């Protein structure tokens, strides 16, 4: 295991150089990996593992959209695609990749098939960390491990096909067999991780819930909406407001940040832009810091988890979700965005 200095703090990481794919294949050569759930993370992880030469099967409800998607992706009913209980029975490693609400609902079934020596794998620490709320308490005689790719399953798959990798965290909640470390790292390499950094189930879920509600999704939409509203209320056109709020950030500036950091992006902008950004970023930090502190507190107390459980367990959850997404999609800002995206050169008909 390598030690890498991250901003002055040394952390344990596992790289592909020290744990190459061949080693991962050797570690798992006798294992059957049963991917339970084919929604957000399931397709990317399952397909990457299969393409990397591992023995993978998928467990999914029959006569569902996800079952049909799995068939379309090349999984063969009765050979590599099975009803959930049959996959659970066949698998020695259970990759439990249903939604958090789905995991709660299916847990009594999963628990029946966790025979001694098996491994229970998560990509989110939610179910185990909030076990008093979810009821997910693994038996003591199985390994309980986590690989959490830092992005969507779609991104994981796209980057894999491009020959790249999405960084992932890994954690061991329970090592019943003495093989948990090798198993979790081999799986992390197998699903296409660029490198793996060490965490715990609790730290993963606390940081993940904070990030999703914060800078990754919730806060950034709030900032977009606020700036767009100010520009529009001061007479700027929808196209100009969207370009200056979203399009320039996503298409021009964030790729520079991804390439070499925030200072590199600043250095590649005009001196006027640099001066303004340097003068204003701390004001935005100070304005948002109390909100982030409140957010983290709500996550740590379990309140955000309970809100998620309560909302996502309702029978009409997907109907309500679609209504909320429709509100975003049909807002003027994102309607303007749809028109802007159509005008990108790569989207123009030749």
């Amino acid at each position: 295991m390598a030690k890498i200095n991250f901003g002055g703090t040394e952390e344990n990481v596992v790289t592909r150089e020290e744990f190459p794919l061949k080693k991962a294949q050797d570690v798992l050569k006798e294992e059957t990996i049963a991917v339970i759930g084919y929604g957000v993370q399931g397709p990317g992880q399952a397909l990457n593992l299969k393409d990397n030469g591992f023995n993978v099967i998928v467990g999914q409800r029959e006569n569902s959209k996800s079952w049909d998607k799995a068939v379309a992706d090349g999984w063969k009913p009765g050979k590599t695609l099975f009803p959930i209980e049959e996959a659970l029975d066949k698998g020695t490693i259970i990759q439990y990749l249903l939604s958090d609400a789905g995991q709660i609902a299916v847990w009594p079934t999963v628990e029946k098939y966790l025979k001694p020596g098996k491994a229970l794998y998560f990509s989110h620490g939610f179910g185990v960390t909030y076990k008093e709320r979810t009821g997910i308490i693994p038996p003591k005689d199985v390994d309980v491990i986590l690989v959490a790719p830092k992005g969507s399953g779609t991104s994981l798959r796209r980057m894999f096909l491009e020959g790249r990798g999405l960084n992932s965290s890994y954690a061991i909640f329970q090592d019943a067999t003495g093989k948990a470390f090798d198993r979790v790292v081999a799986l992390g390499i197998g699903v296409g991780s660029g490198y793996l950094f060490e965490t715990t189930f609790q730290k993963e879920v606390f940081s993940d819930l904070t990030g999703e509600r914060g800078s990754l999704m919730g806060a950034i939409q709030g900032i977009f909406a606020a700036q767009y509203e100010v520009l529009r209320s001061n007479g700027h056109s929808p196209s100009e407001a969207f370009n200056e709020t979203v399009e320039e950030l996503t298409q021009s500036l964030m790729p520079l940040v991804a390439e070499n950091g925030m200072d590199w992006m600043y250095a590649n902008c005009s001196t006027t832009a640099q001066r303004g950004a340097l003068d204003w970023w701390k004001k935005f930090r100070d304005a948002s810091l109390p909100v982030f502190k409140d957010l983290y507190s709500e996550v740590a107390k379990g309140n955000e988890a309970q809100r998620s459980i309560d909302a996502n367990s309702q029978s009409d959850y997907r109907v309500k979700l679609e209504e909320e997404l429709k509100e975003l999609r049909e807002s003027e800002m994102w309607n303007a965005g749809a028109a802007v995206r159509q005008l990108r050169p790569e989207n123009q008909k030749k």
Side-chain angles (χ1 to χ4, degrees):
M1 186 182 302
K3 286 191 176 292
I4 304 295
N5 188 307
F6 290 92
T9 299
E10 282 198 342
E11 298 183 33
N12 293 324
V13 301
V14 180
T15 67
R16 296 183 187 185
E17 182 177 2
E18 62 179 302
F19 208 107
L21 179 59
K22 179 61 169 63
K23 182 176 179 179
Q25 292 169 335
D26 288 343
V27 167
L28 300 179
K29 63 185 177 182
E30 302 297 329
E31 305 272 17
T32 297
I33 304 165
V35 176
I36 307 302
Y38 208 75
V40 176
Q41 280 289 336
Q45 293 199 33
L47 290 167
N48 289 0
L49 283 163
K50 183 177 75 169
D51 288 352
N52 270 333
F54 296 90
N55 182 23
V56 189
I57 61 175
V58 171
Q60 182 58 48
R61 284 186 298 107
E62 293 180 279
N63 302 315
S64 66
K65 290 182 179 179
S66 294
W67 178 278
D68 294 341
K69 175 175 171 52
V71 172
D73 284 347
W75 302 96
K76 304 297 184 184
K79 294 183 178 180
T80 56
L81 175 62
F82 301 93
I84 287 176
E85 289 205 44
E86 192 171 348
L88 288 168
D89 186 46
K90 292 177 179 294
T92 59
I93 296 174
I94 309 301
Q95 290 200 199
Y96 202 23
L97 300 182
L98 294 170
S99 67
D100 294 325
Q103 288 185 13
I104 295 170
V106 179
W107 176 247
T109 300
V110 172
E111 192 175 17
K112 291 188 300 184
Y113 292 93
L114 291 176
K115 306 303 182 186
K118 286 194 175 187
L120 179 62
Y121 166 113
F122 294 87
S123 282
H124 192 23
F126 190 100
V128 171
T129 299
Y130 298 115
K131 56 184 180 295
E132 294 83 3
R133 301 170 187 267
T134 66
I136 296 177
I137 303 174
K140 296 295 185 182
D141 51 9
V142 301
D143 292 344
V144 183
I145 55 181
L146 174 147
V147 173
K150 298 300 110 179
S152 71
T154 301
S155 298
L156 183 73
R157 181 62 177 164
R158 285 177 179 172
M159 293 176 75
F160 177 86
L161 293 174
E162 293 168 357
R164 302 163 62 201
L166 194 63
N167 301 329
S168 302
S169 60
Y170 76 93
I172 299 170
F173 181 79
Q174 194 167 276
D175 184 3
T177 67
K179 302 185 296 183
F181 177 79
D182 281 349
R183 274 172 150 177
V184 73
V185 172
L187 288 161
I189 297 298
V191 301
S193 302
Y195 76 88
L196 294 150
F197 63 93
E198 191 175 29
T199 188
T200 67
F201 272 60
Q202 184 187 79
K203 287 180 179 176
E204 188 283 328
V205 73
F206 282 14
S207 60
D208 192 65
L209 293 184
T210 300
E212 290 166 349
R213 286 146 181 77
S215 63
L216 301 178
M217 295 173 68
I220 197 166
Q221 164 61 18
I223 290 172
F224 285 165
Q227 178 169 304
Y228 184 88
E229 181 179 328
V230 167
L231 290 173
R232 289 290 287 124
S233 66
N234 282 280
H236 297 269
S237 69
S239 62
E240 183 171 57
F242 187 85
N243 272 286
E244 293 292 348
T245 300
V246 179
E247 189 75 352
E248 185 174 348
L249 175 68
T250 59
Q251 299 303 297
S252 173
L253 302 182
M254 290 312 293
L256 292 174
V257 176
E259 180 183 316
N260 208 22
M262 187 66 75
D263 64 311
W264 172 248
M265 185 266 276
Y266 282 11
N268 281 276
C269 294
S270 71
T271 55
T272 301
Q274 292 168 4
R275 184 69 270 141
L278 291 167
D279 286 347
W280 277 87
W281 80 262
K282 292 180 182 178
K283 295 180 183 180
F284 284 104
R285 176 200 62 191
D286 294 344
S288 62
L289 188 58
V291 180
F292 278 98
K293 287 182 176 179
D294 181 48
L295 168 57
Y296 193 87
S297 176
E298 289 295 289
V299 169
K301 287 187 290 190
N303 293 339
E304 281 300 306
Q306 193 61 53
R307 290 188 190 97
S308 178
I309 292 169
D310 292 344
N312 298 349
S313 299
Q314 294 177 14
S315 60
D316 61 348
Y317 163 70
R318 293 200 175 276
V319 174
K320 292 180 177 177
L321 172 65
E322 178 52 34
E323 289 175 356
E324 292 181 280
L325 294 178
K326 181 180 179 183
E327 180 185 353
L328 280 179
R329 184 170 57 249
E330 295 186 354
S331 67
E332 183 190 273
M333 180 173 73
W334 290 110
N335 266 314
V340 169
R341 289 191 295 276
Q342 289 177 356
L343 292 171
R344 291 175 187 164
E346 65 269 25
N347 293 333
Q348 295 290 300
K349 293 182 179 180
K350 296 181 180 179

